[in-house]
């Protein structure tokens, strides 16, 4: 499998490039995941050629700007596209695939962050301060500790 990133040229920096990327043409695909059979078929959205430089988003990312809720089949496959120019998996003529509607609760925030780096940084600062002063839960290790920026951890 080829590696992929969320943003062009700077996936390790805290910029608003992630939000700018929503303006690209994203194509939905189902990956057979043959290199990781225990995970089975997985869906993702990609921009660019199928090589090590392509960008990839997951359904949860796409849901920040587009509401595909009415276009999901019983197996979780999505049958709408996110721009008129985007292709679509399955060999169907892209002109016959409907465009996903906007996610009205978050669409403007995605656009605002893409257009205004200062707004993004200001909101990120507030989020980070809240995380470091009130703690956050780590569910990955099932401990559900509250971790604090000063190194403390409590149950």
């Amino acid at each position: 499998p080829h590696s992929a990133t969320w943003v062009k040229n700077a996936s390790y920096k805290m910029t608003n490039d992630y939000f700018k990327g929503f303006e690209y043409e994203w194509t939905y695909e189902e990956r057979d995941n043959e290199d990781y059979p225990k995970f089975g078929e997985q869906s993702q959205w990609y921009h660019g050629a199928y090589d090590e430089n392509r960008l990839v988003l997951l359904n949860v990312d796409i849901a920040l700007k587009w509401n595909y809720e009415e276009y999901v089949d019983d197996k979780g496959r999505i049958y709408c596209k996110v721009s008129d120019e985007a292709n679509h998996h399955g060999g169907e003529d892209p002109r016959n695939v409907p465009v996903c509607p906007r996610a009205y609760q978050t669409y403007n925030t995605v656009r605002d962050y893409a257009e205004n780096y200062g707004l993004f940084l200001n909101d990120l600062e507030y989020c980070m301060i809240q995380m470091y002063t009130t703690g956050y839960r780590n569910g990955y290790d099932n401990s559900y500790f509250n971790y604090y920026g000063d190194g403390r951890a409590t149950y």
Side-chain angles (χ1 to χ4, degrees):
H2 294 296
S3 60
T5 61
W6 296 344
V7 298
K8 290 183 180 180
N9 304 321
S11 63
Y12 58 91
K13 293 181 182 178
M14 190 58 71
T15 70
N16 62 338
D17 289 343
Y18 169 77
F19 296 99
K20 290 178 181 180
F22 282 93
E23 296 304 315
Y24 303 144
E25 296 172 11
W26 293 96
T27 299
Y28 178 81
E29 72 173 352
E30 293 287 331
R31 299 284 311 267
D32 62 16
N33 245 2
E34 63 186 26
D35 294 326
Y36 304 98
K38 76 176 189 174
F39 296 112
E41 191 175 82
Q42 299 290 312
S43 59
Q44 66 184 28
W45 299 76
Y46 71 90
H47 170 74
Y50 191 77
D51 61 19
E52 293 189 25
N53 296 316
R54 86 185 201 158
L55 302 177
V56 172
L57 293 179
L58 303 177
N59 290 347
V60 67
D61 299 305
I62 291 296
L64 288 172
K65 192 166 181 184
W66 294 282
N67 179 358
Y68 52 78
E69 184 177 40
E70 299 295 322
Y71 298 93
V72 180
D73 70 12
D74 59 347
K75 294 184 179 179
R77 293 189 204 110
I78 297 172
Y79 289 97
C80 61
K81 58 186 180 178
V82 297
S83 74
D84 287 327
E85 298 79 24
N87 292 317
H88 196 269
H89 70 95
E92 189 171 347
D93 184 340
R95 294 174 293 189
N96 297 330
V97 177
V99 175
C100 300
R102 290 179 178 183
Y104 288 101
Q105 292 180 331
T106 52
Y107 182 92
N108 290 336
T109 302
V110 170
R111 186 199 61 221
D112 292 347
Y113 285 168
E115 293 174 356
N116 188 332
Y117 185 48
L119 175 66
F120 167 74
L121 286 178
N122 187 62
D123 288 355
L124 176 66
E125 176 186 35
Y126 176 78
C127 176
M128 297 304 290
I129 289 170
Q130 290 300 309
M131 286 174 57
Y132 287 130
T133 58
T134 63
Y136 58 96
R137 292 181 182 264
N138 178 0
Y140 291 113
D141 61 7
N142 294 320
S143 66
Y144 292 100
F145 285 109
N146 282 326
Y147 293 96
Y148 297 87
D150 61 5
R152 293 179 295 138
T154 62
Y155 289 103

